[in-house]
Amino acid sequence: MVSIDGLTALWDRLLDAQPDPPPLLVVLTALVALVVVATRLPWQIARNAVTIAHEGGHALAALLTGRRLHGIRLHSDTSGLTLSAGRPTGPGMILTLLAGYLAPPLVGLAGAWLLAGNRITLLLWVAVALLLAMLVMVRNAFGVLSLVVTGGVVLVVSWYATPQVQAAFAWTGVWFLLLGGVRPVVELQRLRSRGRMPASDADQLAGITPFPAFFWVAVFALANLAVLGTGALLLAGPILTEAGITG
């Protein structure tokens, strides 16, 4: 059995704030994330994390709006599918469709908020908990493998890595989600212009609202850029403090 002292120590470890990271770490992790998002092969590999957040956003919105969630599928080509049942129109369906492209940067923003308070361990454990919660909704083998591997990496870093490694990992991951929310919207519009995504989230939204698909693509883009800017300000806290701009 786990002792009271052990649980207290575990709780303290979870909630304790780590020291401020050096400003150079904030800058370097942002550059690493930007390179991953901007270059082809690293993006193809890391994009799976964006897909996990995208499909998780659809799933959470479906549950919160009272729709019946049938499952999530994650594919090796970094595409995904979330199936839910309910009214084919109305606010619930609109919010469910909206949530996909908005979810990755919003998850990144939540992570930036935790990092602004130096809650690195809490951030990593919350990420593991969310991945485990999503695991029960996945309905294909690659999806299970993807979530288990991703969650396993985060858990190992949170439990065994040094505070410096944890900080670098957490800041890189949050920067990646913030920046990585923009590129899929650009790819979406590029594929739509070529007629290769006739059933995209934007096109489905166009089918159940008075607004055209391009309007919804613009909503995705503007919202994600706004979230990126807000998250960047939160993550830049150590730099601003070093420069004497904040207290």
Side-chain angles (χ1 to χ4, degrees):
M1 294 179 63
V2 180
S3 67
I4 298 298
D5 289 342
L7 288 174
T8 301
L10 187 64
W11 186 253
D12 289 342
R13 178 177 179 179
L14 180 63
L15 295 183
D16 279 351
Q18 285 74 33
D20 284 339
L24 182 60
L25 180 141
V26 178
V27 174
L28 290 178
T29 53
L31 290 175
V32 169
L34 181 60
V35 168
V36 171
V37 172
T39 52
R40 183 176 179 181
L41 183 58
W43 171 248
Q44 288 177 338
I45 297 171
R47 195 185 196 280
N48 191 60
V50 174
T51 302
I52 290 172
H54 179 111
E55 300 305 330
H58 281 315
L60 180 60
L63 291 173
L64 291 177
T65 56
R67 298 179 63 81
R68 296 186 301 279
L69 183 63
H70 290 323
I72 300 169
R73 300 179 70 87
L74 303 171
H75 304 130
S76 58
D77 63 356
T78 71
S79 65
L81 179 65
T82 299
L83 296 175
S84 64
R87 287 186 58 195
T89 60
M93 189 63 190
I94 292 172
L95 290 173
T96 298
L97 290 169
L98 270 175
Y101 280 98
L102 301 182
L106 286 175
V107 172
L109 181 61
W113 178 73
L114 288 174
L115 290 182
N118 291 331
R119 297 301 197 275
I120 298 173
T121 302
L122 178 61
L123 167 64
L124 297 176
W125 284 26
V126 167
V128 172
L130 290 175
L131 290 167
L132 286 175
M134 190 173 172
L135 183 61
V136 303
M137 299 182 287
V138 172
R139 299 293 182 264
N140 68 320
F142 180 83
V144 171
L145 177 64
S146 179
L147 288 176
V148 169
V149 170
T150 304
V153 169
V154 177
L155 183 61
V156 167
V157 169
S158 71
W159 194 260
Y160 295 106
T162 63
Q164 294 81 6
V165 172
Q166 287 186 19
F169 181 84
W171 252 267
T172 302
V174 169
W175 276 120
F176 173 74
L177 287 173
L178 289 168
L179 292 163
V182 176
R183 178 165 176 171
V185 180
V186 176
E187 294 174 341
L188 167 65
Q189 183 55 28
R190 183 183 301 127
L191 291 171
R192 286 191 63 259
S193 66
R194 299 172 183 172
R196 294 173 57 185
M197 288 190 72
S200 71
D201 293 348
D203 289 281
Q204 291 183 65
L205 283 164
I208 61 175
T209 68
F211 305 105
F214 183 76
F215 168 85
W216 294 108
V217 175
V219 168
F220 297 151
L222 293 174
N224 288 1
L225 287 171
V227 171
L228 169 59
T230 305
L233 286 175
L234 288 171
L235 293 176
I239 299 175
L240 299 177
T241 300
E242 185 78 8
I245 298 175
T246 63

